[in-house]
């Protein structure tokens, strides 16, 4: 464990090169920490401005990320839009496949699923795994008290 001078909203362990990759709250900045043979972060004292790279994509604010292997992470999140400042927000969820070597999205997909109350499915924790059909996604979008939503996507 270590302290860091930014609000890290997601973190993944890159098991291919033994690094940790953090995403700032709002996902505008990416961080990369190296791990020693003992599993401890070796560059924890490096100032944030020397470790960060800017996220070139402004499509999603990542809420959750998972390491997929091959130096890629799968991130889910939301973008919020308003027609006017006083209008209620329209929330669009999405999934990004991100290359950890350069921090750029390899593929981006909107998720057109909402709860009955209008919350986007990718607003909070998400787990996606292979299934017999293709992919299965588990979503818990609401804060405080939520429902576990499960969706299957058929791969063709």
């Amino acid at each position: 464990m270590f302290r860091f001078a930014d609000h890290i909203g997601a973190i993944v362990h890159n098991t291919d090169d033994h690094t940790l990759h953090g995403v700032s709250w709002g996902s505008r900045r990416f961080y990369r920490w190296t791990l020693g043979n003992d599993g401890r972060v070796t560059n924890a004292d490096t100032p944030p401005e020397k470790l960060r790279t800017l996220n070139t994509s402004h499509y999603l604010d990542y809420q959750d990320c998972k390491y997929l292997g091959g130096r890629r992470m799968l991130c889910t999140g939301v973008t919020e839009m308003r027609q006017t400042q006083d209008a209620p927000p329209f929330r669009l969820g999405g999934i990004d496949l991100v290359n950890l070597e350069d921090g750029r999205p390899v593929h981006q997909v909107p998720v057109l699923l909402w709860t009955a109350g209008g919350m986007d499915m990718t607003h909070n924790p998400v787990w996606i795994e292979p299934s017999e059909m293709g992919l299965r996604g588990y979503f818990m979008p609401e804060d405080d008290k939520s429902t576990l939503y499960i969706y299957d996507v058929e791969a063709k």
Side-chain angles (χ1 to χ4, degrees):
M1 292 184 10
F2 62 99
R3 293 194 178 274
F4 194 70
D6 197 346
H7 184 140
I8 304 302
I11 194 162
V12 299
H13 178 202
N14 180 339
T15 56
D16 291 316
D17 68 6
H18 308 294
T19 55
L20 294 178
H21 294 263
V23 178
S24 68
W25 192 256
S27 46
R28 300 292 60 95
R29 296 171 300 280
F30 292 130
Y31 295 97
R32 181 179 179 274
W33 296 279
T34 53
L35 298 174
N37 291 335
D38 61 358
R40 294 181 186 266
V41 174
T42 62
N43 57 345
D45 294 331
T46 303
E49 59 273 8
K50 293 190 177 192
L51 286 179
R52 71 176 153 230
T53 57
L54 297 181
N55 182 353
T56 59
S57 174
H58 295 277
Y59 167 58
L60 289 178
D61 287 346
Y62 300 142
Q63 302 293 307
D64 201 4
C65 296
K66 306 284 187 280
Y67 188 64
L68 293 181
R71 293 179 173 83
R72 292 183 177 178
M73 69 179 172
L74 186 73
C75 293
T76 55
V78 61
T79 191
E80 199 172 274
M81 298 171 264
R82 297 174 190 262
Q83 287 185 327
T84 66
Q85 188 172 355
D86 298 330
F90 170 74
R91 293 182 179 105
L92 177 63
I95 301 172
D96 282 6
L97 178 62
V98 178
N99 181 336
L100 290 173
E101 292 177 359
D102 62 10
R104 295 182 182 272
V106 176
H107 195 70
Q108 298 175 299
V109 178
V111 175
L112 304 176
L113 297 170
W114 294 268
T115 67
M119 184 64 72
D120 57 282
M121 280 296 155
T122 58
H123 201 85
N124 279 320
V126 173
W127 180 260
I128 297 175
E129 64 186 12
S131 71
E132 289 182 19
M133 291 180 61
L135 293 174
R136 175 169 285 164
Y138 302 84
F139 305 87
M140 287 191 70
E142 296 100 353
D143 291 328
D144 300 323
K145 188 175 180 181
S146 190
T147 299
L148 176 62
Y149 298 87
I150 303 171
Y151 290 94
D152 287 306
V153 176
E154 186 177 350
K156 295 182 179 188

PDB file of all heavy atoms in Angstrom, residues 65-88:
ATOM      1  N   CYS A  65     -12.441  -0.901 -13.951  1.00  0.00           N
ATOM      2  CA  CYS A  65     -11.526  -1.444 -14.959  1.00  0.00           C
ATOM      3  C   CYS A  65     -11.032  -2.817 -14.516  1.00  0.00           C
ATOM      4  O   CYS A  65     -10.860  -3.057 -13.322  1.00  0.00           O
ATOM      5  CB  CYS A  65     -10.318  -0.530 -15.167  1.00  0.00           C
ATOM      6  SG  CYS A  65     -10.717   1.100 -15.835  1.00  0.00           S
ATOM      7  N   LYS A  66     -10.782  -3.684 -15.475  1.00  0.00           N
ATOM      8  CA  LYS A  66     -10.266  -5.034 -15.220  1.00  0.00           C
ATOM      9  C   LYS A  66      -9.126  -5.299 -16.196  1.00  0.00           C
ATOM     10  O   LYS A  66      -9.177  -4.900 -17.356  1.00  0.00           O
ATOM     11  CB  LYS A  66     -11.339  -6.099 -15.466  1.00  0.00           C
ATOM     12  CG  LYS A  66     -12.633  -5.898 -14.716  1.00  0.00           C
ATOM     13  CD  LYS A  66     -12.507  -6.268 -13.259  1.00  0.00           C
ATOM     14  CE  LYS A  66     -13.807  -6.235 -12.524  1.00  0.00           C
ATOM     15  NZ  LYS A  66     -14.278  -4.967 -12.095  1.00  0.00           N
ATOM     16  N   TYR A  67      -8.110  -6.022 -15.725  1.00  0.00           N
ATOM     17  CA  TYR A  67      -7.009  -6.406 -16.607  1.00  0.00           C
ATOM     18  C   TYR A  67      -7.407  -7.624 -17.430  1.00  0.00           C
ATOM     19  O   TYR A  67      -7.925  -8.600 -16.889  1.00  0.00           O
ATOM     20  CB  TYR A  67      -5.739  -6.709 -15.795  1.00  0.00           C
ATOM     21  CG  TYR A  67      -4.556  -6.920 -16.689  1.00  0.00           C
ATOM     22  CD1 TYR A  67      -4.088  -5.887 -17.477  1.00  0.00           C
ATOM     23  CD2 TYR A  67      -3.941  -8.159 -16.784  1.00  0.00           C
ATOM     24  CE1 TYR A  67      -3.021  -6.065 -18.322  1.00  0.00           C
ATOM     25  CE2 TYR A  67      -2.864  -8.348 -17.632  1.00  0.00           C
ATOM     26  CZ  TYR A  67      -2.411  -7.298 -18.403  1.00  0.00           C
ATOM     27  OH  TYR A  67      -1.366  -7.481 -19.251  1.00  0.00           O
ATOM     28  N   LEU A  68      -7.181  -7.566 -18.737  1.00  0.00           N
ATOM     29  CA  LEU A  68      -7.558  -8.662 -19.635  1.00  0.00           C
ATOM     30  C   LEU A  68      -6.388  -9.529 -20.081  1.00  0.00           C
ATOM     31  O   LEU A  68      -6.598 -10.588 -20.644  1.00  0.00           O
ATOM     32  CB  LEU A  68      -8.226  -8.101 -20.899  1.00  0.00           C
ATOM     33  CG  LEU A  68      -9.570  -7.427 -20.720  1.00  0.00           C
ATOM     34  CD1 LEU A  68     -10.090  -6.951 -22.064  1.00  0.00           C
ATOM     35  CD2 LEU A  68     -10.562  -8.366 -20.068  1.00  0.00           C
ATOM     36  N   GLY A  69      -5.169  -9.058 -19.863  1.00  0.00           N
ATOM     37  CA  GLY A  69      -3.999  -9.722 -20.423  1.00  0.00           C
ATOM     38  C   GLY A  69      -3.602  -9.002 -21.699  1.00  0.00           C
ATOM     39  O   GLY A  69      -4.337  -8.166 -22.225  1.00  0.00           O
ATOM     40  N   GLY A  70      -2.428  -9.331 -22.200  1.00  0.00           N
ATOM     41  CA  GLY A  70      -1.964  -8.703 -23.441  1.00  0.00           C
ATOM     42  C   GLY A  70      -1.797  -7.201 -23.331  1.00  0.00           C
ATOM     43  O   GLY A  70      -1.942  -6.490 -24.321  1.00  0.00           O
ATOM     44  N   ARG A  71      -1.528  -6.702 -22.118  1.00  0.00           N
ATOM     45  CA  ARG A  71      -1.334  -5.270 -21.860  1.00  0.00           C
ATOM     46  C   ARG A  71      -2.562  -4.438 -22.241  1.00  0.00           C
ATOM     47  O   ARG A  71      -2.456  -3.329 -22.759  1.00  0.00           O
ATOM     48  CB  ARG A  71      -0.085  -4.757 -22.570  1.00  0.00           C
ATOM     49  CG  ARG A  71       1.188  -5.353 -22.010  1.00  0.00           C
ATOM     50  CD  ARG A  71       2.438  -4.878 -22.716  1.00  0.00           C
ATOM     51  NE  ARG A  71       3.615  -5.345 -22.031  1.00  0.00           N
ATOM     52  CZ  ARG A  71       4.171  -6.547 -22.184  1.00  0.00           C
ATOM     53  NH1 ARG A  71       3.630  -7.416 -23.001  1.00  0.00           N
ATOM     54  NH2 ARG A  71       5.261  -6.873 -21.522  1.00  0.00           N
ATOM     55  N   ARG A  72      -3.744  -5.012 -21.962  1.00  0.00           N
ATOM     56  CA  ARG A  72      -4.999  -4.308 -22.225  1.00  0.00           C
ATOM     57  C   ARG A  72      -5.916  -4.400 -21.010  1.00  0.00           C
ATOM     58  O   ARG A  72      -5.906  -5.390 -20.298  1.00  0.00           O
ATOM     59  CB  ARG A  72      -5.708  -4.901 -23.437  1.00  0.00           C
ATOM     60  CG  ARG A  72      -4.938  -4.636 -24.714  1.00  0.00           C
ATOM     61  CD  ARG A  72      -5.657  -5.155 -25.903  1.00  0.00           C
ATOM     62  NE  ARG A  72      -4.904  -4.799 -27.101  1.00  0.00           N
ATOM     63  CZ  ARG A  72      -5.250  -5.139 -28.301  1.00  0.00           C
ATOM     64  NH1 ARG A  72      -6.341  -5.862 -28.509  1.00  0.00           N
ATOM     65  NH2 ARG A  72      -4.534  -4.768 -29.336  1.00  0.00           N
ATOM     66  N   MET A  73      -6.686  -3.342 -20.813  1.00  0.00           N
ATOM     67  CA  MET A  73      -7.683  -3.366 -19.745  1.00  0.00           C
ATOM     68  C   MET A  73      -9.043  -3.019 -20.337  1.00  0.00           C
ATOM     69  O   MET A  73      -9.147  -2.297 -21.324  1.00  0.00           O
ATOM     70  CB  MET A  73      -7.315  -2.418 -18.602  1.00  0.00           C
ATOM     71  CG  MET A  73      -7.379  -0.960 -18.891  1.00  0.00           C
ATOM     72  SD  MET A  73      -6.941  -0.005 -17.398  1.00  0.00           S
ATOM     73  CE  MET A  73      -6.865   1.636 -18.099  1.00  0.00           C
ATOM     74  N   LEU A  74     -10.064  -3.573 -19.702  1.00  0.00           N
ATOM     75  CA  LEU A  74     -11.445  -3.320 -20.090  1.00  0.00           C
ATOM     76  C   LEU A  74     -12.027  -2.369 -19.053  1.00  0.00           C
ATOM     77  O   LEU A  74     -12.022  -2.676 -17.856  1.00  0.00           O
ATOM     78  CB  LEU A  74     -12.234  -4.626 -20.110  1.00  0.00           C
ATOM     79  CG  LEU A  74     -13.658  -4.527 -20.633  1.00  0.00           C
ATOM     80  CD1 LEU A  74     -13.634  -4.328 -22.154  1.00  0.00           C
ATOM     81  CD2 LEU A  74     -14.426  -5.783 -20.289  1.00  0.00           C
ATOM     82  N   CYS A  75     -12.478  -1.207 -19.507  1.00  0.00           N
ATOM     83  CA  CYS A  75     -13.033  -0.214 -18.596  1.00  0.00           C
ATOM     84  C   CYS A  75     -14.481   0.064 -18.960  1.00  0.00           C
ATOM     85  O   CYS A  75     -14.845   0.122 -20.129  1.00  0.00           O
ATOM     86  CB  CYS A  75     -12.244   1.088 -18.663  1.00  0.00           C
ATOM     87  SG  CYS A  75     -10.557   0.946 -18.044  1.00  0.00           S
ATOM     88  N   THR A  76     -15.302   0.226 -17.928  1.00  0.00           N
ATOM     89  CA  THR A  76     -16.693   0.586 -18.121  1.00  0.00           C
ATOM     90  C   THR A  76     -16.932   1.910 -17.428  1.00  0.00           C
ATOM     91  O   THR A  76     -16.251   2.262 -16.471  1.00  0.00           O
ATOM     92  CB  THR A  76     -17.626  -0.486 -17.533  1.00  0.00           C
ATOM     93  OG1 THR A  76     -17.299  -0.687 -16.161  1.00  0.00           O
ATOM     94  CG2 THR A  76     -17.486  -1.801 -18.284  1.00  0.00           C
ATOM     95  N   GLY A  77     -17.897   2.655 -17.946  1.00  0.00           N
ATOM     96  CA  GLY A  77     -18.169   3.946 -17.340  1.00  0.00           C
ATOM     97  C   GLY A  77     -19.348   4.635 -17.980  1.00  0.00           C
ATOM     98  O   GLY A  77     -20.184   4.009 -18.640  1.00  0.00           O
ATOM     99  N   VAL A  78     -19.378   5.942 -17.812  1.00  0.00           N
ATOM    100  CA  VAL A  78     -20.545   6.727 -18.214  1.00  0.00           C
ATOM    101  C   VAL A  78     -20.107   8.083 -18.741  1.00  0.00           C
ATOM    102  O   VAL A  78     -19.072   8.612 -18.343  1.00  0.00           O
ATOM    103  CB  VAL A  78     -21.509   6.895 -17.011  1.00  0.00           C
ATOM    104  CG1 VAL A  78     -20.835   7.619 -15.869  1.00  0.00           C
ATOM    105  CG2 VAL A  78     -22.804   7.567 -17.416  1.00  0.00           C
ATOM    106  N   THR A  79     -20.886   8.601 -19.649  1.00  0.00           N
ATOM    107  CA  THR A  79     -20.757   9.996 -20.050  1.00  0.00           C
ATOM    108  C   THR A  79     -22.099  10.652 -19.779  1.00  0.00           C
ATOM    109  O   THR A  79     -23.147  10.017 -19.906  1.00  0.00           O
ATOM    110  CB  THR A  79     -20.336  10.136 -21.526  1.00  0.00           C
ATOM    111  OG1 THR A  79     -19.978  11.482 -21.780  1.00  0.00           O
ATOM    112  CG2 THR A  79     -21.418   9.704 -22.480  1.00  0.00           C
ATOM    113  N   GLU A  80     -22.062  11.884 -19.359  1.00  0.00           N
ATOM    114  CA  GLU A  80     -23.279  12.596 -18.985  1.00  0.00           C
ATOM    115  C   GLU A  80     -23.412  13.824 -19.863  1.00  0.00           C
ATOM    116  O   GLU A  80     -22.465  14.587 -20.016  1.00  0.00           O
ATOM    117  CB  GLU A  80     -23.180  13.000 -17.512  1.00  0.00           C
ATOM    118  CG  GLU A  80     -24.489  13.319 -16.875  1.00  0.00           C
ATOM    119  CD  GLU A  80     -24.338  13.531 -15.383  1.00  0.00           C
ATOM    120  OE1 GLU A  80     -24.385  12.536 -14.637  1.00  0.00           O
ATOM    121  OE2 GLU A  80     -24.171  14.703 -14.975  1.00  0.00           O
ATOM    122  N   MET A  81     -24.594  13.986 -20.445  1.00  0.00           N
ATOM    123  CA  MET A  81     -24.841  15.128 -21.335  1.00  0.00           C
ATOM    124  C   MET A  81     -26.113  15.838 -20.900  1.00  0.00           C
ATOM    125  O   MET A  81     -27.031  15.212 -20.388  1.00  0.00           O
ATOM    126  CB  MET A  81     -25.004  14.636 -22.775  1.00  0.00           C
ATOM    127  CG  MET A  81     -23.771  13.941 -23.324  1.00  0.00           C
ATOM    128  SD  MET A  81     -24.100  13.170 -24.903  1.00  0.00           S
ATOM    129  CE  MET A  81     -24.440  11.494 -24.373  1.00  0.00           C
ATOM    130  N   ARG A  82     -26.132  17.144 -21.133  1.00  0.00           N
ATOM    131  CA  ARG A  82     -27.317  17.959 -20.832  1.00  0.00           C
ATOM    132  C   ARG A  82     -27.570  18.893 -22.013  1.00  0.00           C
ATOM    133  O   ARG A  82     -26.631  19.447 -22.564  1.00  0.00           O
ATOM    134  CB  ARG A  82     -27.100  18.799 -19.576  1.00  0.00           C
ATOM    135  CG  ARG A  82     -26.886  17.996 -18.325  1.00  0.00           C
ATOM    136  CD  ARG A  82     -26.524  18.923 -17.166  1.00  0.00           C
ATOM    137  NE  ARG A  82     -26.094  18.158 -16.024  1.00  0.00           N
ATOM    138  CZ  ARG A  82     -26.873  17.847 -14.998  1.00  0.00           C
ATOM    139  NH1 ARG A  82     -28.122  18.249 -14.983  1.00  0.00           N
ATOM    140  NH2 ARG A  82     -26.417  17.139 -13.994  1.00  0.00           N
ATOM    141  N   GLN A  83     -28.849  19.056 -22.355  1.00  0.00           N
ATOM    142  CA  GLN A  83     -29.185  19.997 -23.426  1.00  0.00           C
ATOM    143  C   GLN A  83     -29.022  21.432 -22.953  1.00  0.00           C
ATOM    144  O   GLN A  83     -28.619  22.293 -23.718  1.00  0.00           O
ATOM    145  CB  GLN A  83     -30.599  19.761 -23.929  1.00  0.00           C
ATOM    146  CG  GLN A  83     -30.699  18.497 -24.760  1.00  0.00           C
ATOM    147  CD  GLN A  83     -32.080  18.337 -25.358  1.00  0.00           C
ATOM    148  OE1 GLN A  83     -33.080  18.729 -24.763  1.00  0.00           O
ATOM    149  NE2 GLN A  83     -32.128  17.756 -26.536  1.00  0.00           N
ATOM    150  N   THR A  84     -29.355  21.685 -21.698  1.00  0.00           N
ATOM    151  CA  THR A  84     -29.135  22.987 -21.079  1.00  0.00           C
ATOM    152  C   THR A  84     -28.589  22.732 -19.680  1.00  0.00           C
ATOM    153  O   THR A  84     -28.692  21.622 -19.157  1.00  0.00           O
ATOM    154  CB  THR A  84     -30.441  23.808 -20.974  1.00  0.00           C
ATOM    155  OG1 THR A  84     -31.333  23.148 -20.077  1.00  0.00           O
ATOM    156  CG2 THR A  84     -31.093  23.995 -22.337  1.00  0.00           C
ATOM    157  N   GLN A  85     -28.063  23.766 -19.073  1.00  0.00           N
ATOM    158  CA  GLN A  85     -27.458  23.617 -17.750  1.00  0.00           C
ATOM    159  C   GLN A  85     -28.467  23.130 -16.717  1.00  0.00           C
ATOM    160  O   GLN A  85     -28.126  22.389 -15.802  1.00  0.00           O
ATOM    161  CB  GLN A  85     -26.846  24.943 -17.317  1.00  0.00           C
ATOM    162  CG  GLN A  85     -26.038  24.833 -16.055  1.00  0.00           C
ATOM    163  CD  GLN A  85     -25.294  26.115 -15.744  1.00  0.00           C
ATOM    164  OE1 GLN A  85     -25.297  27.057 -16.515  1.00  0.00           O
ATOM    165  NE2 GLN A  85     -24.658  26.152 -14.599  1.00  0.00           N
ATOM    166  N   ASP A  86     -29.718  23.518 -16.843  1.00  0.00           N
ATOM    167  CA  ASP A  86     -30.743  23.143 -15.868  1.00  0.00           C
ATOM    168  C   ASP A  86     -31.468  21.851 -16.220  1.00  0.00           C
ATOM    169  O   ASP A  86     -32.264  21.350 -15.428  1.00  0.00           O
ATOM    170  CB  ASP A  86     -31.773  24.270 -15.739  1.00  0.00           C
ATOM    171  CG  ASP A  86     -31.138  25.558 -15.231  1.00  0.00           C
ATOM    172  OD1 ASP A  86     -30.153  25.477 -14.474  1.00  0.00           O
ATOM    173  OD2 ASP A  86     -31.623  26.644 -15.601  1.00  0.00           O
ATOM    174  N   ALA A  87     -31.214  21.298 -17.392  1.00  0.00           N
ATOM    175  CA  ALA A  87     -31.910  20.077 -17.826  1.00  0.00           C
ATOM    176  C   ALA A  87     -31.391  18.866 -17.065  1.00  0.00           C
ATOM    177  O   ALA A  87     -30.235  18.837 -16.634  1.00  0.00           O
ATOM    178  CB  ALA A  87     -31.698  19.865 -19.326  1.00  0.00           C
ATOM    179  N   PRO A  88     -32.236  17.857 -16.886  1.00  0.00           N
ATOM    180  CA  PRO A  88     -31.742  16.623 -16.254  1.00  0.00           C
ATOM    181  C   PRO A  88     -30.708  15.956 -17.166  1.00  0.00           C
ATOM    182  O   PRO A  88     -30.772  16.091 -18.390  1.00  0.00           O
ATOM    183  CB  PRO A  88     -33.002  15.758 -16.111  1.00  0.00           C
ATOM    184  CG  PRO A  88     -33.982  16.326 -17.072  1.00  0.00           C
ATOM    185  CD  PRO A  88     -33.647  17.771 -17.258  1.00  0.00           C
TER     186      PRO A  88
END
